[in-house]
Amino acid sequence: MKNGTGHYLLIDGVNKTFPGQNGRERLKVLDEINLYADEGEIIGIVGPSGCGKSTLLNIIAGFVPPDRGRVVFCGKHVQKPSPERAVVFQTVVLFPWLTVWDNISYGLKRRGEKNIARLVKRYIQIVGLDSFEYYYPDQLSGGMQQRVALARVLVLNPRLLLMDEPFASLDALSRLTMQQLLLDIWQKLRITVLFVTHDVEEALLLTHRIYIMSRRPGRIIREIQVPFGFPRSFSLTGTPCFAQLKSEILNTLILGLK
Amino acid sequence: MRLYKESGTKILCWSDIDGRLNPLGLALPALLLIVWHLVTVDGNIPGYLLPRPMEIGKVALDFALGNLQLTPYSGTMLDHSLASISRVFSGFGLAAVIGLPLGFLTGRITAVKRTIDPTIHLFRTIPGIGWLPVAMVWFGVGERTTLFLIALAAFFPIYVNSAQGAASVPPQLIWAGRMLGANKISLFTTIIIPASAPAVVAGLRLGMGLSWAYLVLGELTGVAQGLGAVMMDARMLGHVDMIIVAMVCIAILGRVTDLVLTTMFKLYQPRAGGAVS
Ligand SMILES: Nc1ncnc2c1ncn2[C@@H]1O[C@H](COP(=O)(O)OP(=O)(O)OP(=O)(O)O)[C@@H](O)[C@H]1O
Ligand SMILES: [Mg+2]
């Protein structure tokens, strides 16, 4: 599994530019990104808005190719999307014409799965959406929609979960619930997660390691080991060590803005 | 129990989406009928220009049932209507069979768009009626000219709307589909088609409306049976009442075919939002 690279997921010298608008020069978005994740790790990526976090995740997912560099996952060069690298998007991307149930079973059907009903039921329960099976996405709150998006990919038993500021648009309380949900799910499944956020507390609460990015063109300017053990809970945020790490990261982020 | 907003704006019609009657929508036609009755009741406007509503009602009934023998068309409504409906369906069907695939191809594949889209838009600028003379030369008067005109007129809105709908499927929906394991074919059937369905149906409805318009134009050139033929024929015989009745028939049939389209769409996609009334 780790053949060739030694890491479960390896991002190796990834660069990305976009065509400039109105004949201006190309916009450099990602500059020599190197990072890795080992199996079962939750990795945080924090960085200022517009630094290329979503772009990086899209490259890892296989939606867009990098200009230079490569993404290696389980020893294989990533070139197109796959259900083993699941994505929860920054804005909720559900199929609005399908019910909660059909959204969650979508991937199972594509795979030709036999036990669809049992699996869908189980994951609806895990994300806490019982009795909302036949609702349509636009009849759900933002938090509930993000739960559907989570269940839709978890049900496929992915080997890597790519989450792009999944809780950023939620109110503080739903955000806490969702963070706790993610921690609970990780306790159960030990899935490898890449979690993009610009909320430093969220990164500290949820992850094993954090990569800090500079402003555009995004570079990795620092890597921080998060020393807290699991299982974690929200009470962690009150500890002095947490506060100290938080201010350290914020300082790095501010330096990265210059 | 419903959570949060009910999406999908309800566009009121004579009867509501849930089947309830909409009294406000009925008020205007009622008022029109009353005014029509009042201006014709005392004979100020001669009957050969504008017959009274009651007369029209009688002629319409006779046209349907043949019980009064009021006009030469007594009892022939079904035959004429069926002739017109089958022309509309053939012409519209032809337009859809060609327009939908071309529209989807143009919407999804840049090379196809660059190849055929400019030419199609060039032809689109020619008004439908402008094709009439040349159609009569090519196809003679009547049947085939009518089919040609309908198919041509309905093609453009079907093509343009399905192309636009297919082109504006959000890329993230397609990414999501691919990430969840869809291949080229299932991506098309499970994402691109449903996501562009509201625009496609809008195009089909416009096409259906035009089909009825061009049906009349084509039938005026001379067919044995059909509502357009009835209108042309009745004009020569001085039966204004019959012309009006035929117009009403076309209006009703047009509305019914539109309802068939929207109902089929609602069955296919119950939660499409406010795209369709
Ligand atoms: N398809 C595209 N074409 C051109 N420029 C793009 C495209 N996608 C992203 N960009 C540019 O790349 C830069 C990074 O965008 P990206 O969405 O990756 O930022 P981000 O770090 O996710 O920001 P945020 O935290 O606000 O979500 C932005 O300046 C954006 O304008
Ligand atoms: Mg982003």
Side-chain angles (χ1 to χ4, degrees), chain A residues 18-19 21 27 29 47-56 90 164-165 196 198 216:
Chain A
F18 284 113
Q21 299 300 316
L27 190 69
V29 176
S49 180
C51 75
K53 303 184 294 297
S54 297
T55 307
L56 178 59
Q90 183 166 4
D164 191 357
E165 308 192 34
V196 165
H198 51 218
R216 198 189 62 235

Side-chain angles (χ1 to χ4, degrees), chain A residues 71-87:
Chain A
V71 176
V72 183
F73 179 63
C74 292
K76 272 179 295 184
H77 192 171
V78 166
Q79 275 164 324
K80 58 179 185 5
S82 147
E84 63 177 23
R85 277 167 285 117
V87 181

Side-chain angles (χ1 to χ4, degrees), chain B residues 76-100:
Chain B
T76 58
M77 182 194 271
L78 194 62
D79 296 339
H80 289 298
S81 300
L82 283 178
S84 290
I85 290 171
S86 81
R87 279 183 199 115
V88 163
F89 276 29
S90 326
F92 175 81
L94 199 60
V97 164
I98 302 170
L100 289 175

Side-chain angles (χ1 to χ4, degrees), chain B residues 83-167:
Chain B
S84 290
I85 290 171
S86 81
R87 279 183 199 115
V88 163
F89 276 29
S90 326
F92 175 81
L94 199 60
V97 164
I98 302 170
L100 289 175
L102 282 186
F104 274 104
L105 285 173
T106 293
R108 296 303 320 170
I109 303 173
T110 317
V112 174
K113 182 183 164 89
R114 299 178 67 118
T115 312
I116 66 171
D117 205 46
T119 313
I120 290 181
H121 281 278
L122 186 71
F123 278 98
R124 194 165 76 96
T125 55
I126 304 171
I129 297 179
W131 287 93
L132 183 61
V134 76
M136 284 165 69
V137 172
W138 291 341
F139 302 114
V141 295
E143 201 63 50
R144 292 201 298 153
T145 289
T146 312
L147 281 189
F148 172 76
L149 289 176
I150 294 176
L152 189 76
F155 166 80
F156 293 110
I158 294 174
Y159 166 82
V160 169
N161 281 273
S162 49
Q164 187 263 326

Side-chain angles (χ1 to χ4, degrees), chain B residues 194 196-199 201 259-273 275-276:
Chain B
S196 41
V201 172
L259 277 174
V260 168
L261 279 180
T262 54
T263 309
M264 275 169 31
F265 177 57
K266 262 179 235 153
L267 292 176
Y268 167 65
Q269 213 173 78
R271 194 95 201 148
V276 166

Side-chain angles (χ1 to χ4, degrees), chain A residues 7-68:
Chain A
H7 287 297
Y8 194 63
L9 171 72
L10 181 80
I11 317 299
D12 181 16
V14 160
N15 283 263
K16 183 75 186 171
T17 57
F18 284 113
Q21 299 300 316
N22 312 326
R24 269 187 244 148
E25 63 180 304
R26 292 180 72 89
L27 190 69
K28 192 161 180 49
V29 176
L30 293 176
D31 184 13
E32 282 297 312
I33 302 289
N34 293 297
L35 58 85
Y36 71 91
D38 285 326
E39 190 164 8
E41 264 191 314
I42 309 180
I43 299 298
I45 298 175
V46 296
S49 180
C51 75
K53 303 184 294 297
S54 297
T55 307
L56 178 59
L57 231 58
N58 287 341
I59 290 173
I60 300 173
F63 298 145
V64 292
D67 294 350
R68 214 144 37 80

